[in-house]
Amino acid sequence: MAKAANIDAKEAERMATMLLAGDRANATTNGWERLMTDPKKRAAAIAEYNADVAFIKRNPAAKQHMDALTREYKQYNDNLVDFAEQCDYLSKEEAQRLKSAPYVPFYRIEDGKVKLFIEKEGPITIGSIADNPDLKQLLGDNNKILPILSSAVQ
């Protein structure tokens, strides 16, 4: 996408991350509030997302690359769900249901527990910070959204 959009690679990754996260935030009840809890930083993130959407709309070649990235990211996540189904962790029906919605995770701490927020679901408790301090590595914060290519493998 960087070459197609005539931007450097770091900016292309920032833009791709923001577009995927913003699309997910828009598709989820209270998505922006979950993504960025601080109102000022949330407003700045929404403005950044809107500017990136406008940029992509003006650049068909960059949009083509972004669409391909979105498809590849979805396929990656679908493969993880398929693996969970093959291991009998998920039923076939549950796997299909999970694959029908976009997946960009929001991990947050509530009541000392790390919780995962996903599309149209209540939060799923991952574990306790007291019992598993390493879980803090899953968490985003109000300072930045982790780059998509890095966070996908976390």
Side-chain angles (χ1 to χ4, degrees):
M1 183 168 90
K3 190 173 182 180
N6 197 27
I7 56 178
D8 68 37
K10 189 171 184 171
E11 174 62 7
E13 184 173 20
R14 185 213 52 82
M15 185 178 290
T17 299
M18 181 54 76
L19 289 167
L20 286 170
D23 287 350
R24 169 62 168 66
N26 283 338
T28 304
T29 304
N30 299 321
W32 283 104
E33 290 80 7
R34 290 178 179 169
L35 183 62
M36 303 293 282
T37 56
D38 180 274
K40 289 180 183 177
K41 291 179 180 180
R42 180 172 52 245
I46 291 169
E48 183 179 345
Y49 168 78
N50 289 335
D52 291 342
V53 168
F55 179 87
I56 288 295
K57 285 181 178 179
R58 290 189 312 269
N59 294 278
K63 183 178 183 332
Q64 184 178 7
H65 285 273
M66 187 63 212
D67 290 346
L69 172 65
T70 302
R71 285 189 303 275
E72 188 171 330
Y73 185 67
K74 177 161 180 21
Q75 185 61 53
Y76 171 79
N77 286 320
D78 287 353
N79 289 344
L80 294 176
V81 171
D82 288 342
F83 178 71
E85 179 189 351
Q86 291 165 10
C87 293
D88 292 327
Y89 185 76
L90 296 173
S91 70
K92 182 176 184 174
E93 294 76 22
E94 181 68 0
Q96 290 301 321
R97 187 186 70 77
L98 289 172
K99 291 191 304 186
S100 70
Y103 175 77
V104 177
F106 298 147
Y107 294 96
R108 296 294 182 258
I109 295 177
E110 285 186 357
D111 302 321
K113 297 186 183 329
V114 174
K115 295 186 177 182
L116 167 63
F117 292 88
I118 57 175
E119 167 68 12
K120 298 180 183 176
E121 301 288 335
I124 298 168
T125 300
I126 304 298
S128 165
I129 293 293
D131 296 334
N132 301 291
D134 291 343
L135 287 175
K136 285 186 179 181
Q137 294 176 4
L138 292 173
L139 302 178
D141 59 29
N142 278 319
N143 296 319
K144 64 178 181 175
I145 298 170
L146 295 175
I148 197 69
L149 300 178
S150 302
S151 65
V153 294
Q154 279 187 330

